[in-house]
Amino acid sequence: MTEFQEIKKKNKSSLAKAIILVLLGLFLLDLMGVIIKFMGNKYSVLQYAVARNGFGLLPLLVLLFYSFGFKKDSGRFNFRDKVISISRGLSIVLAQFFFYLSLMKLEFATAATLAFASPLFLTALSIPILRNFVGPWRWSAVALGFLGIIIIIRPGSDIFTYDALLPLGAAFGYAFAAVLVKLFPKEVHTAKIQFYTQITTLIVTIFIALITFSFSFIESISDLFLLAVMGVSGGIGVILLIAGYRITEPSLIAPFEFFALPISFLLGWVFFMEWPFDQLFPGVLGIVLGGVIIAWRESKKGKFNRK
């Protein structure tokens, strides 16, 4: 086997591993959403957020403990980096509030689908924050995605509800957090970024829940177990997504994130007997196609930069 063939085989293996990690991470995040929707109004949105951030910190601490790269890392993490991490945490708190509330108000697949507007917001936010140039292809993708969103939520019609805007608020928050990651220098370890972000989300959600009297007693051991599974699933899901995106080029695996849509349809049908095809089609096709175009343009951009 030639050196070129070995490199090609290694790249294929890395891509396959990255895809598996991303799909498993998406499934765990969907499982987190299923538990929140299943428990419903039994607890407040802020209490779910505290459980997610508190129990979700456990797998991150395990990762930090066993991360050889993190232990060896003595790189910078100055005041600026901490401010960016805290800003990411605040945007994620906002995103969690909107997304968890949307799970209570909307059908599961509808909330999950509209939350996939994140790549569209990310593209738009990259202009003022990262000073990126966005060409006609990516602007067309953004326009196509937002057209799909409008078709789904149908503003001005009798079936329009303001609850449909909740997952869009979540998508904006998650996109803002994703853009801020790009402001960190490459030498800053991912575990540091995630740790400070996670601590921020936990402290902020606990503080808001306390001042708004949003805490209530856990009614049973089974509820505590479900809250723990929800938080750990969300924590592991995020770690797996980060790991998958670090193994290979993000543009190669970004389109596979849309496999979460059929997964959310299936989970919504299995657990809640929901099948919102009439509401989501054909608008969902615009969101998916817009995201795929953005991923394709990022891939082309990456090839150009390597030349």
Side-chain angles (χ1 to χ4, degrees):
M1 184 180 293
T2 65
E3 182 179 353
F4 174 76
Q5 290 174 325
E6 289 181 357
I7 294 174
K8 188 175 181 181
K9 183 179 179 180
K10 184 178 179 181
N11 289 339
K12 284 184 178 180
S13 176
S14 297
L15 178 59
K17 184 178 179 181
I19 292 171
I20 292 172
L21 289 173
V22 167
L23 292 180
L24 182 57
L26 291 170
F27 173 77
L28 289 174
L29 291 173
D30 269 342
L31 178 62
M32 176 195 74
V34 166
I35 294 174
I36 292 173
K37 186 169 182 63
F38 174 77
M39 300 186 78
N41 294 321
K42 185 177 286 189
Y43 303 102
S44 69
V45 173
L46 285 168
Q47 193 159 351
Y48 288 129
V50 170
R52 158 65 185 90
N53 296 316
F55 288 111
L57 190 61
L58 298 178
L60 178 60
L61 292 175
V62 172
L63 176 65
L64 288 172
F65 183 78
Y66 287 103
S67 176
F68 178 77
F70 179 73
K71 292 176 182 178
K72 298 287 288 185
D73 177 37
S74 59
R76 52 160 273 180
F77 201 77
N78 57 26
F79 178 76
R80 174 183 177 274
D81 299 330
K82 293 175 182 177
V83 169
I84 297 172
S85 290
I86 292 172
S87 300
R88 288 190 72 242
L90 293 174
S91 65
I92 290 175
V93 168
L94 184 69
Q96 288 177 341
F97 178 82
F98 283 130
F99 185 57
Y100 298 169
L101 187 59
S102 73
L103 289 171
M104 300 180 187
K105 302 288 187 179
L106 303 171
E107 292 176 308
F108 183 78
T110 302
T113 298
L114 290 174
F116 265 92
S118 286
L120 312 178
F121 287 118
L122 195 152
T123 299
L125 288 170
S126 67
I127 299 173
I129 297 176
L130 304 179
R131 299 290 190 267
N132 284 356
F133 171 76
V134 176
W137 271 103
R138 281 190 286 177
W139 274 126
S140 299
V142 170
L144 185 61
F146 276 109
L147 176 61
I149 292 170
I150 291 172
I151 293 174
I152 291 175
I153 65 177
R154 301 172 194 177
S157 69
D158 294 335
I159 66 170
F160 172 73
T161 169
Y162 285 103
D163 292 336
L165 300 178
L166 293 172
L168 297 181
F172 179 86
Y174 286 130
F176 188 71
V179 170
L180 290 180
V181 170
K182 300 291 187 180
L183 297 178
F184 290 99
K186 291 182 179 180
E187 62 266 22
V188 176
H189 199 283
T190 302
K192 283 185 178 179
I193 299 171
Q194 191 62 19
F195 178 74
Y196 276 93
T197 299
Q198 189 83 34
I199 289 294
T200 300
T201 58
L202 179 59
I203 293 174
V204 171
T205 49
I206 290 176
F207 176 74
I208 297 175
L210 286 173
I211 64 175
T212 57
F213 303 99
S214 297
F215 279 116
S216 58
F217 289 107
I218 307 299
E219 296 180 6
S220 64
I221 295 297
S222 61
D223 281 359
L224 180 61
F225 173 76
L226 286 175
L227 290 172
V229 173
M230 181 267 290
V232 172
S233 295
I236 296 176
V238 170
I239 290 172
L240 291 178
L241 285 176
I242 293 173
Y245 271 95
R246 295 197 71 181
I247 288 174
T248 187
E249 294 181 26
S251 59
L252 295 177
I253 56 175
F256 288 93
E257 281 203 24
F258 289 102
F259 276 97
L261 292 177
I263 293 174
S264 64
F265 267 97
L266 180 61
L267 292 175
W269 178 70
V270 169
F271 288 99
F272 310 111
M273 296 302 295
E274 299 172 350
W275 202 250
F277 269 105
D278 292 342
Q279 180 180 357
L280 293 180
F281 283 87
V284 65
L285 300 179
I287 296 175
V288 172
L289 186 56
V292 170
I293 291 174
I294 289 172
W296 171 69
R297 290 304 296 171
E298 287 297 318
S299 175
K300 291 290 186 181
K301 178 183 175 182
K303 291 178 181 178
F304 178 77
N305 287 341
R306 285 195 299 276
K307 291 178 182 178

